[in-house]
Amino acid sequence: MTTAMRRSIGMITATALLVAGCSAGQGDPKVALTVGDVKVSTVEQVQRTLTDLLATNQGAQDQARQHKLDQVSRGIITQQAVNQLTAEAARRAGIQIPDALAEEAIPQLTGPAATEGDPFQATVDAAFPAKELARYRLALAELGARAIGRTAITFDAAFPQNFEDARELARKVAADPAQSAALMQAVPNPQQEAAINQTQSSASAQNATQLLQIAGFPLFNIPVGSVVATRLEGEQGGYVVFYMKAKQTAAPPAGFDVGQIPLLDRSKVGRAQLMDVALKTRVEPNPRFGTWDPFSLRVVSAEEAAVASAVYQAAATKP
């Protein structure tokens, strides 16, 4: 038996062990992902996808050697969930992507151009047909194009230093949103004051980059009445509790041409536009793969889930 054959057998065995682990919780143990009422994939299908990747994809083989196939499986389930949410958002918006456009967009929205040097995302993308990914990302690009420069929001935000405090504050704000300002101003953080009745809109943007930042920031796209506790990105660390108080339609700046925004950037903004449908749709991965984080739109490990995100609906805005 050659070394290459031993390596392949070892990787395939690793895949089988990864997917054959015990499943906990409710739901059909054979189903890998459910979104809304749709059973998107089965555990067997995910296992077959991983096996195929290990046979053909260098990135997957590298992940296997580093004992990170669980991350690959979470990435695949995440992409499946995002695809389903994109399809639903596009359906609601009346967006349809012809085959010819999807084919044409493959070089821009898949492969190295889309993954931007991220080897993990490149491995996940390799698990899906390029034309399928291009179609979903074109739909996201259209959602993004319709959003850039067209929203004004009002919000409160505070910056606790640990997740338990952030989650507890979010619960309190959701239970009594009239006290949001007082609750948030009471949060001790000498480096970052609470933001009360702050606004963001296209009118305050100085250039196209700022318009993209406003439209593409996930917190700025949660439904009105939502209260989110989540980790802050970047070196600063800590957490943010964000309460979306109001949202209005705004006019884009004079002379702004969304067609000048690169397609991939529009697609990234479009992903942020999924927040509304994502927070109102049941997304349920099989527990063996991880837990759905409703804010980051990712399947996360149990360790990540403990300090990932929490989303609540303010009492006054409940139907």
Side-chain angles (χ1 to χ4, degrees), residues 75-188:
I76 291 170
I77 300 296
T78 292
Q79 189 63 57
Q80 290 178 340
V82 170
N83 289 350
Q84 284 294 122
L85 295 172
T86 300
E88 176 59 20
R91 184 192 67 79
R92 295 182 184 184
I95 297 170
Q96 295 182 331
I97 307 298
D99 281 353
L101 283 181
E103 193 80 41
E104 182 181 342
I106 287 175
Q108 295 174 271
L109 296 180
T110 69
T115 55
E116 298 181 317
D118 181 349
F120 174 76
Q121 188 59 49
T123 300
V124 171
D125 278 12
F128 296 84
K131 188 174 178 179
E132 175 185 315
L133 282 179
R135 187 188 306 278
Y136 285 120
R137 288 169 180 167
L138 272 176
L140 289 176
E142 179 58 25
L143 288 169
R146 297 183 183 187
I148 297 170
R150 295 183 178 277
T151 303
I153 63 170
T154 304
F155 62 90
D156 291 346
F159 305 92
Q161 291 299 291
N162 67 74
F163 186 60
E164 285 303 319
D165 289 345
R167 183 158 48 191
E168 182 60 24
L169 174 60
R171 287 197 191 104
K172 289 179 179 178
V173 171
D176 190 358
Q179 295 301 311
S180 173
L183 289 166
M184 292 195 178
Q185 287 172 330
V187 173

Side-chain angles (χ1 to χ4, degrees), residues 9-22 43 46-48 50-51 54 69 288:
I9 290 173
M11 288 180 177
I12 291 172
T13 301
T15 305
L17 289 174
L18 169 70
V19 181
C22 294
V43 171
V46 175
Q47 177 169 338
R48 189 161 58 244
L50 281 170
T51 301
L54 284 168
L69 282 180
R288 74 184 68 197

Side-chain angles (χ1 to χ4, degrees), residues 35 40 80 111 184 210 223 243 263 292 319:
V35 178
V40 178
Q80 290 178 340
M184 292 195 178
Q210 289 186 6
Y243 171 35
L263 195 59
W292 177 249

